[in-house]
Amino acid sequence: MELIVVTDATVSAELPAVARSLAGRDESVEAVTFAGAGAEAGDLARDLARELGGHGVGRLHVAQHALLDDYAPEAWGSALAAVIERLAPSGVFAPAGHRGAEVLAHAAARGGLPLATDCVRLAGGDDGTWHVTRTRSGGVLLEDAELTAPVKLATVAAAVEVPQVPLQPAGECEIVESAVDVPPELARTRVVEHTASETGLSLATSPVVVSGGRGVGGADGFAVLEELAERLGGVVGCSRVATNNGWRPHRDQVGLTGTKIAADLYIACGISGATQHWVGCMDSAVILAINTDPEAPMMQRATYAVEGDVHEVLPAVLAEIRRRAEEPAAAEPAEQQV
Amino acid sequence: MDIVVCIKRVPAFGAQVPLTDDGSAVDTRHLGFTIGPHEECAVEEAVRLASAHGGRVTVLSVGPEEAGEQLRYALAMGAHQGVLVDTGTTDLDPEATATAVLAGLADEPEPDLVLFGDASADAGHGQVGIRVALARDLPVVGGITGLEIDTGGSLRATRESPSGTELFRVPMPAAVAVKEGLNLPRYPTLPGRLKAKKAELRTVTCDPEPGGLHTVGLRRPADDRAGAVPLGRGAGAAPAVVDVLAELGKV
Ligand SMILES: Cc1cc2nc3c(=O)[nH]c(=O)nc-3n(C[C@H](O)[C@H](O)[C@H](O)COP(=O)(O)OP(=O)(O)OC[C@H]3O[C@@H](n4cnc5c(N)ncnc54)[C@H](O)[C@@H]3O)c2cc1C
Ligand SMILES: Nc1ncnc2c1ncn2[C@@H]1O[C@H](COP(=O)(O)O)[C@@H](O)[C@H]1O
């Protein structure tokens, strides 16, 4: 059987298809999630089972223990290791992302098993070896690798190539509750406090990001980027040079070790376009580069390029926006006027 | 407060990533090397904790002899001693790397804290720290961007999650994998660099068994972007820029 690990309230749609494509002819695809010993765990499991049933997954194992009621990496990992030992699946999948990767790494370490993270392609071989492609450094490189073990673990990136497998008919997903042993000392790494994030535009989800790098020249230089971002309904981002110089806080950093974004519009001001920055912004629909150096990689890879000094170009752009806003008649085609 | 920080020697590349002809590795003939940003923050945090609470910082690296260069960089930042686990290469699978880290830790006195990066800058498996912690029976938390020592002597570690901030309170000894943003790492001073140059590194040799994840080769992803459309130069480009913004419905 193949086992899908569910660490959140929803199931990633790609996982059942990936698991199905790696399952042998007579192998089932099942799922596992975690719950405390209380009654409210039941509702969550029923919702998940409905969703999984829709993907043709026939059984949801609910690992239950008082220590599993809230996210606890070591306890969840140890419970997963116990379930793996009992069910002996040939493959175990979780979505890439913090929880999935963390829980699988714990289970892999406990079971002495290999784990391939951030897989974008997974295929089975005749000898039971899997051939996977994983992304390295946030997508800078692709790594082709082989995974060989009695139980193979993988985290699956959202961008995975979804394999062409016959659609599984939707059906009932049976809930199997099973108490697991969790060593009591694993309570040591439970989340003891959650603080909800402030609502509002965040770098990760903003439709527009106006980002600045070394070329902005200093912390004060970001004022004009702030103004443009506000005008466009977006937020300000930055490169690692801006962070390292203390011009911007790290939460503004776009890139491999910052935030990965997929904005409608990304404006890169005085940013050269190093690979580690590029992988953070490359999923944006439109990229506009403003740079004094026409040869800068960002100027080559962007959708639009403006050659020039940020502090000349941006004030002129703001002035032009204001000018058009003040004389709408002049800026709009005549037929739209009444 | 004795702290061990695990750092990896990784190639530093710019806009292009050169690969060897057979695609088996990054072609590093013309590249410099560095330590990853997460690990730089780990070193910085260790140095700050040791100076606030007393104690020594040991940096440990698994790789070729040349990884001594990265250990010395960390010493120049303020770490006290370096351990090089000589495996001849950094291209090991995560199980083998963990085995080698453990070999390096074996002869060290029990540290209060072992710090890792959340993911190595090149391979990014996100699991070496967890494997090492488990083998040493240490509690481990990852993705940490805030770290404090409680009055009771336990750790307060925070991390960002999609829904907000999560707080862990972890007894020591413990292992923690940290992320960039935890602090602003210092640049080594010149006297620091000179002192580090002369420092003695402890070398352990290790030839770990490979694990079950075997790298076959590396590839660059297809880049299907079609070259930028020039919108002009300097202030004169403003009308063309605003046309684009209008077309996108942003103004
Ligand atoms: C493991 C690793 C992870 C990393 N992670 C990240 C990350 O998450 N995010 C990130 O950004 N970087 C990251 N980096 C750093 C990255 O490699 C680059 O060093 C960094 O992105 C460069 O920032 P920059 O473009 O602002 O500076 P530079 O590369 O110095 O480029 C500045 C640009 O500004 C232009 N310019 C100068 N003056 C002006 C002006 N007046 N007007 C307009 N243009 C001007 C120049 O022509 C140049 O192109 C990482 C590096 C490593 C090794
Ligand atoms: N070759 C190495 N030498 C020392 N530490 C390493 C090495 N590889 C990985 N690590 C540590 O383990 C962390 C996670 O690595 P990884 O599992 O490869 O993402 C890194 O940030 C380092 O702290």
Side-chain angles (χ1 to χ4, degrees):
Chain A
M1 67 170 286
E2 307 292 334
L3 188 64
I4 295 171
V5 182
V6 184
T7 53
D8 293 286
T10 53
V11 183
S12 321
E14 315 81 49
L15 285 193
V18 168
R20 176 69 55 201
S21 75
L22 284 155
R25 191 186 295 274
D26 311 316
E27 276 189 321
S28 60
V29 174
E30 304 185 8
V32 59
T33 192
F34 310 89
E40 75 276 27
D43 286 341
L44 201 66
R46 268 190 296 282
D47 290 345
L48 279 178
R50 203 168 310 119
E51 209 180 327
L52 287 161
H55 294 296
V57 176
R59 198 171 288 149
L60 172 64
H61 302 268
V62 183
Q64 286 184 318
H65 188 280
L67 280 181
L68 304 176
D69 64 336
D70 197 352
Y71 183 61
E74 285 190 285
W76 285 32
S78 135
L80 177 59
V83 170
I84 289 173
E85 202 169 300
R86 191 160 65 219
L87 300 177
S90 47
V92 181
F93 310 86
H98 207 86
R99 282 191 177 185
E102 190 171 38
V103 173
L104 257 58
H106 275 281
R110 281 176 188 273
L113 298 167
L115 161 65
T117 50
D118 297 317
C119 295
V120 288
R121 198 184 65 92
L122 300 96
D126 293 335
D127 54 355
T129 294
W130 285 0
H131 304 277
V132 304
T133 303
R134 56 183 299 272
T135 59
R136 276 188 170 223
S137 311
V140 171
L141 286 174
L142 296 173
E143 171 186 348
D144 294 315
E146 288 170 357
L147 203 50
T148 323
V151 186
K152 295 167 278 282
L153 288 80
T155 70
V156 178
V160 69
E161 239 174 69
V162 181
Q164 295 299 315
V165 283
L167 211 62
Q168 283 308 113
E172 272 297 298
C173 176
E174 179 196 356
I175 296 178
V176 184
E177 296 187 3
S178 52
V180 288
D181 267 343
V182 176
E185 71 267 20
L186 297 191
R188 64 197 182 184
T189 47
R190 277 159 62 85
V191 175
V192 294
E193 204 179 297
H194 289 276
T195 318
S197 44
E198 297 160 30
T199 48
L201 273 187
S202 79
L203 181 60
T205 56
S206 176
V208 177
V209 176
V210 183
S211 218
R214 192 193 303 277
V216 172
D220 298 343
F222 275 86
V224 58
L225 278 75
E226 294 277 6
E227 193 182 340
L228 181 62
E230 194 178 325
R231 210 67 215 205
L232 302 178
V235 299
V236 167
C238 70
S239 76
R240 183 160 179 251
V241 166
T243 319
N244 274 358
N245 285 334
W247 301 346
R248 303 295 299 182
H250 182 266
R251 64 169 179 278
D252 286 358
Q253 183 176 315
V254 172
L256 172 59
T257 51
T259 301
K260 206 168 160 71
I261 65 162
D264 301 343
L265 172 63
Y266 185 66
I267 306 185
C269 309
I271 295 179
S272 63
T275 320
Q276 298 94 349
H277 184 85
W278 176 251
V279 294
C281 68
M282 65 183 181
D283 292 334
S284 299
V286 173
I287 299 177
L288 166 65
I290 303 172
N291 199 306
T292 42
D293 175 9
E295 302 300 322
M298 185 61 88
M299 294 285 279
Q300 315 285 321
R301 288 165 137 175
T303 327
Y304 299 104
V306 175
E307 185 184 331
D309 185 328
V310 203
H311 294 296
E312 275 174 33
V313 178
L314 289 188
V317 168
L318 280 163
E320 177 70 11
I321 292 172
R322 266 184 245 111
R323 194 184 64 75
R324 293 196 196 181
E326 277 156 22
E327 343 168 1
E332 271 169 42
E335 61 266 59
Q336 277 186 16
Q337 293 180 19
V338 260
Chain B
M1 184 87 195
D2 289 334
I3 308 174
V4 174
V5 189
C6 295
I7 58 176
K8 183 177 186 182
R9 171 179 172 88
V10 295
F13 38 72
Q16 299 300 331
V17 191
L19 293 179
T20 55
D21 290 338
D22 65 354
S24 64
V26 173
D27 182 354
T28 56
R29 280 175 304 175
H30 308 292
L31 295 180
F33 288 84
T34 181
I35 63 178
H38 300 315
E39 290 152 38
E40 219 176 300
C41 288
V43 175
E44 175 66 32
E45 197 69 11
V47 170
R48 287 187 197 182
L49 286 172
S51 78
H53 301 272
R56 296 178 68 76
V57 176
T58 303
V59 284
L60 182 154
S61 193
V62 173
E65 208 184 317
E66 291 80 4
E69 189 192 328
Q70 280 60 50
L71 290 171
R72 288 182 202 284
Y73 185 85
L75 293 176
M77 285 177 72
H80 302 90
Q81 55 196 23
V83 179
L84 174 74
V85 185
D86 190 347
T87 51
T89 177
T90 53
D91 290 330
L92 298 169
D93 68 81
E95 290 171 87
T97 304
T99 305
V101 170
L102 289 164
L105 286 175
D107 290 328
E108 291 295 317
E110 178 76 44
D112 301 290
L113 191 58
V114 186
L115 294 181
F116 297 90
D118 201 51
S120 56
D122 57 348
H125 296 293
Q127 52 183 281
V128 166
I130 291 172
R131 290 185 188 272
V132 170
L134 232 99
R136 297 277 300 211
D137 196 24
L138 293 171
V140 55
V141 287
I144 297 305
T145 49
L147 197 58
E148 273 172 48
I149 313 282
D150 250 343
T151 40
S154 62
L155 292 169
R156 285 172 60 88
T158 50
R159 72 178 181 199
E160 303 305 316
S161 79
S163 55
T165 307
E166 298 175 337
L167 167 69
F168 296 90
R169 195 171 282 125
V170 188
M172 286 195 281
V176 177
V178 306
K179 269 189 151 171
E180 190 183 47
L182 175 67
N183 53 43
L184 199 53
R186 71 194 68 191
Y187 290 106
T189 58
L190 191 60
R193 280 181 189 274
L194 291 175
K195 202 166 138 226
K197 221 168 142 180
K198 286 184 292 205
E200 201 52 60
L201 302 174
R202 184 167 80 82
T203 302
V204 182
T205 50
C206 179
D207 184 15
E209 283 290 312
L213 178 69
H214 170 69
T215 302
V216 178
L218 303 179
R219 287 182 282 138
R220 270 184 293 265
D223 186 0
D224 47 14
R225 294 224 167 219
V229 176
L231 294 182
R233 283 194 184 180
V241 170
V242 180
D243 285 347
V244 168
L245 298 177
E247 200 179 302
L248 295 170
K250 300 300 177 191
V251 287

